[in-house]
Amino acid sequence: GSGSVVIDAATGEVLAEVGRYLGQASNNVAEYTALIEGVRRALQLDADAELYVRMDSKLVIEQMSGRWKIKHPDMAELAAVARGLLTGTPVRFEWIPRLQNARADAVANRAMDLRADFG
């Protein structure tokens, strides 16, 4: 499962939670899915938003920042989807420790428990 939490940077208010049930998939697929769904929802809420993406996936952060190459074809495809969504949107990426990502983990766990998408 994947989980995304969209938070207003100015107020700290949770604007949306998006959970996706992925069935059997790698953690990297789940992390990229969380990025895509979080970006998609943030831009639905405010098409002119400046995004600050904080994730506990070092792989996704480094690949999306352009510091690491994307070798796996499935990850390249998902990264292309994310880049497409981000075209024209100011964005910065930051890796955070997993303990600081508990909200998103809880959303992912809920999607897996429900075996359903929500948000």
Side-chain angles (χ1 to χ4, degrees):
S2 74
S4 308
V5 181
V6 179
I7 299 170
D8 185 302
T11 66
E13 175 188 1
V14 174
L15 302 175
E17 292 182 339
V18 182
R20 294 290 175 258
Y21 177 68
L22 303 176
Q24 200 160 357
S26 74
N27 62 324
N28 294 331
V29 168
E31 295 288 358
Y32 265 107
T33 301
L35 170 65
I36 290 164
E37 295 300 332
V39 166
R40 186 174 283 140
R41 180 53 53 87
L43 293 176
Q44 285 173 348
L45 294 168
D46 182 356
D48 298 320
E50 292 183 25
L51 302 182
Y52 179 34
V53 176
R54 301 172 73 228
M55 296 179 70
D56 64 8
S57 172
K58 185 84 166 167
L59 178 88
V60 171
I61 294 299
E62 295 299 326
Q63 288 180 339
M64 290 302 297
S65 297
R67 292 185 290 267
W68 290 2
K69 289 182 182 181
I70 304 172
K71 297 175 184 174
H72 195 284
D74 293 344
M75 297 311 107
E77 200 172 305
L78 291 168
V81 170
R83 284 192 185 100
L85 289 170
L86 289 166
T87 300
T89 299
V91 61
R92 61 190 171 119
F93 295 95
E94 179 188 7
W95 175 83
I96 58 171
R98 185 166 186 187
L99 290 174
Q100 292 180 25
N101 204 26
R103 286 182 188 173
D105 281 347
V107 173
N109 287 333
R110 189 168 2 133
M112 288 184 282
D113 290 344
L114 295 171
R115 294 181 176 266
D117 297 344
F118 61 88

